[in-house]
């Protein structure tokens, strides 16, 4: 880790998608066994957050890291920025998190899920002073932020505070999306450690692989699973500090541990990088919308989050789980996190302002109509309520 000498494992254990029981609650015994197994096999970075598993992830992690495991890992959790209404709230949430996690300090503390206007809000409420003080009195050791916004806001946030690290979504389909490759390089060149989330795009690059994609992977002389290719591609970047994986199956943990042992920066050959490029191109052909996430079309005067609508629409066709995707659409675009403003496709008034800005020449208003048809429907409000329930104060 740049700046502080911590030797972090390149694989981190993400506690957002822990092993669960059929009723959706954490399968505590299995999940704790998995966390400890990973630590016993070299993982020393454990990441959780206030809203994960409806507020149950942090207390679970506190229990899972008993019996001496807490001292063997660097623990990361996050300030739920969308719930913060005052400077006092920040200390209150951190205090509650220390209690939930049964610890006297958080090694890596992040301001969670920033986008541009959410950063403006917490900055105005005094988050810099809060982080300074928490670092000075030892409640946190390193200050960072996780990011889901646009590239230009990422730079702005990197420049706005003396961060130790950041966390970004990154995989071979998201080179131009959110912080992207430019953000990864910018953060690293400014001395920040960079934690990567969503290396498999929520598992979508590994779970249901379309036959046309599998065909390309099968052409490689070295046989690797799609998950291994995707992870190796991320680890090939020397700017990457830790890659988080939300592990909940023993086979995946073992596969990830094995790949982490063998993957190094610049270890992919030119031919292998070319193979990943071909897979990326094929995904873009298969994807329903050829949106690269560049955000040139934004902001929409009616408040539609165009690239996020298209990301969810593409996921609907990549993954065989329409109900799950409809829920994700309601959660991510309905304001369950961020500032609570809906950003749905149905807000589009067909003004056409975005169309000429799109370098991919997408007929954005027409595609948004299909998004409404396939991802909204009469149950949208119900799903938004469920999502808000999952992200509420608990
Ligand atoms: S056409 Fe729709 S999405 Fe595009 S700018 Fe106008 S309201 Fe926004
Ligand atoms: S719709 Fe076009 S301009 Fe907007 S993010 Fe996608 S590719 Fe970029």
């Amino acid at each position: 880790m740049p700046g502080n000498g911590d030797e972090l494992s390149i694989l981190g254990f993400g506690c957002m998608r822990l092993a669960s029981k059929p009723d959706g609650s954490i399968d505590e015994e299995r999940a704790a066994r998995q966390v400890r197994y990973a630590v016993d096999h070299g993982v020393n970075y454990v990441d959780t957050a206030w809203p994960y598993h409806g507020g149950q992830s942090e207390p679970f992690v506190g229990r899972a890291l008993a019996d001496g495991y807490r001292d063997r890992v660097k623990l990361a959790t996050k300030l739920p920025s969308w719930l913060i209404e005052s400077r006092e709230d920040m200390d209150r949430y951190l205090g509650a998190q220390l209690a939930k996690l049964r610890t006297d300090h958080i090694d890596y503390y992040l301001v969670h899920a920033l986008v541009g206007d959410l950063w403006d809000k917490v900055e105005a409420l005094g988050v810099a002073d809060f982080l300074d003080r928490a670092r000075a009195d030892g409640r946190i050791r390193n200050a960072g932020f996780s990011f889901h916004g646009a590239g230009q806001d990422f730079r702005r946030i990197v420049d706005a505070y003396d961060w130790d690290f950041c966390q970004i979504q990154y995989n071979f389909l998201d080179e131009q999306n959110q912080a992207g490759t430019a953000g990864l390089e910018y953060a690293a060149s400014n001395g920040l450690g960079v934690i990567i989330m969503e290396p498999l795009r929520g598992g979508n690059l590994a779970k249901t692989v379309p036959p046309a994609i599998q065909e390309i992977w099968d052409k490689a002389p070295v046989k690797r699973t799609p998950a291994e290719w995707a992870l190796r591609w991320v680890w090939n970047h020397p700017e990457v500090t830790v890659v988080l994986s939300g592990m909940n199956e023993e086979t995946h943990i073992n596969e990830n541990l094995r790949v982490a042992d063998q993957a190094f920066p610049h270890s992919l050959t030119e031919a292998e990088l070319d193979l990943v490029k071909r897979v990326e191109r094929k995904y873009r052909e298969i994807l329903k919308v050829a949106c690269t996430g560049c955000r040139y079309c934004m902001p929409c005067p009616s408040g539609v989050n165009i690239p996020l609508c298209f990301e969810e629409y593409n996921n609907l066709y990549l993954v065989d789980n329409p109900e799950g995707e409809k829920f994700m659409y309601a959660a991510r675009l309905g304001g369950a996190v961020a500032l609570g403003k809906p950003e749905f496709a149905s807000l589009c008034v067909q003004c056409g302002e975005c169309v000429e800005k799109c370098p991919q020449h997408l007929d954005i208003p027409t595609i948004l109509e299909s998004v409404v048809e396939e991802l909204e429907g009469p149950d949208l409000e119900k799903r938004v309520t469920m999502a808000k329930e999952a992200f509420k104060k608990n």
Side-chain angles (χ1 to χ4, degrees):
M1 164 77 189
N4 70 8
D6 278 355
E7 296 224 351
L8 302 180
S9 54
I10 61 167
L11 176 65
F13 203 112
C15 297
M16 184 169 82
R17 303 184 184 99
L18 294 161
S20 300
K21 293 183 185 163
D23 67 2
S25 63
I26 299 170
D27 183 341
E28 176 114 11
E29 199 189 319
R30 184 176 174 203
R33 207 179 330 112
Q34 292 175 338
V35 170
R36 291 183 177 196
Y37 178 88
V39 175
D40 289 340
H41 289 79
V43 169
N44 70 359
Y45 190 93
V46 176
D47 171 84
T48 181
W50 183 268
Y52 294 172
H53 284 278
Q56 291 312 302
S57 177
E58 286 178 326
F60 159 79
V61 170
R63 292 187 288 275
L65 294 180
D67 303 327
Y69 278 83
R70 170 67 187 93
D71 297 335
R72 295 168 61 184
V73 300
K74 300 296 180 190
L75 182 56
T77 195
K78 313 184 186 82
L79 180 75
S81 49
W82 60 95
L83 299 177
I84 300 301
E85 281 153 20
S86 66
R87 169 69 182 78
E88 295 71 44
D89 276 354
M90 302 176 196
D91 288 303
R92 203 164 51 75
Y93 276 101
L94 174 55
Q97 290 174 301
L98 291 168
K100 280 176 152 194
L101 286 158
R102 303 178 177 198
T103 186
D104 63 358
H105 70 279
I106 307 297
D107 301 287
Y108 287 81
Y109 195 64
L110 303 95
V111 185
H112 197 176
L114 288 184
V115 293
D117 44 8
L118 196 46
W119 165 250
D120 295 337
K121 181 189 87 163
V122 291
E123 189 182 34
L125 290 173
V127 78
D129 173 66
F130 160 70
L131 294 170
D132 283 347
R133 286 174 192 261
R135 247 190 323 207
D137 64 26
R139 282 174 295 161
I140 69 172
R141 297 281 157 87
N142 297 282
F145 66 96
S146 68
F147 184 77
H148 283 291
Q152 69 272 22
D153 287 324
F154 181 75
R155 279 179 172 248
R156 192 162 72 79
I157 298 169
V158 167
D159 294 345
Y161 182 69
D162 178 23
W163 304 105
D164 300 299
F165 72 112
C166 62
Q167 183 170 314
I168 61 171
Q169 170 168 328
Y170 196 57
N171 56 68
F172 67 75
L173 276 186
D174 283 326
E175 281 207 83
Q176 290 188 58
N177 193 15
Q178 299 186 15
T181 304
L184 170 70
E185 290 171 356
Y186 187 70
S189 69
N190 278 275
L192 275 69
V194 186
I195 314 293
I196 302 297
M197 57 184 154
E198 305 294 6
L200 307 178
R201 251 204 182 195
N204 292 341
L205 298 180
K207 270 187 294 203
T208 321
V209 179
I213 300 285
Q214 191 60 50
E215 223 170 83
I216 303 175
W217 290 135
D218 288 343
K219 289 199 178 101
V222 187
K223 299 302 168 214
R224 293 172 177 149
T225 63
E228 176 166 357
W229 280 113
L231 288 170
R232 279 180 179 264
W233 183 88
V234 178
W235 276 319
N236 201 52
H237 295 77
E239 300 88 357
V240 168
T241 310
V242 172
V243 174
L244 291 175
S245 179
M247 298 179 277
N248 50 36
E249 284 189 31
E250 287 72 12
T251 47
H252 296 164
I253 297 173
N254 280 319
E255 179 180 16
N256 289 351
L257 288 167
R258 179 185 57 75
V259 180
D261 250 0
Q262 298 166 356
F264 298 97
H266 301 303
S267 62
L268 292 184
T269 64
E270 280 304 314
E272 289 173 331
L273 287 170
D274 184 57
L275 185 85
V276 179
K277 198 46 128 186
R278 275 189 283 150
V279 167
E280 185 221 316
R281 282 199 209 105
K282 182 55 77 180
Y283 262 118
R284 298 215 184 278
E285 274 172 49
I286 294 174
L287 291 173
K288 199 76 179 162
V289 190
C291 171
T292 59
C294 69
R295 297 181 75 91
Y296 292 138
C297 55
M298 294 288 280
C300 154
S302 298
V304 181
N305 188 332
I306 302 165
L308 192 52
C309 284
F310 292 166
E311 187 180 323
E312 291 304 328
Y313 191 44
N314 278 331
N315 284 344
L316 181 69
Y317 283 84
L318 271 184
V319 190
D320 189 19
N321 180 11
E323 284 314 306
E325 266 320 310
K326 284 182 190 172
F327 178 78
M328 284 309 293
Y329 176 85
R332 295 185 75 191
L333 288 131
V337 293
L339 287 179
K341 277 185 294 188
E343 302 176 300
F344 294 124
S346 50
L347 293 168
C348 173
V349 296
Q350 308 271 317
C351 72
E353 210 177 282
C354 55
V355 178
E356 63 188 28
K357 298 186 198 156
C358 175
Q360 308 300 321
H361 309 296
L362 298 174
D363 182 358
I364 297 172
T366 307
I367 307 170
L368 286 172
E369 285 181 335
S370 307
V371 176
V372 175
E373 201 171 302
E374 295 180 53
L375 282 169
E376 296 196 15
D379 286 340
L380 179 66
E381 269 314 308
K382 207 162 93 191
R383 290 189 211 102
V384 172
T385 309
M386 278 164 63
K388 287 198 167 151
E389 187 63 22
F391 280 88
K392 70 175 187 190
K393 306 182 186 195
N394 25 52

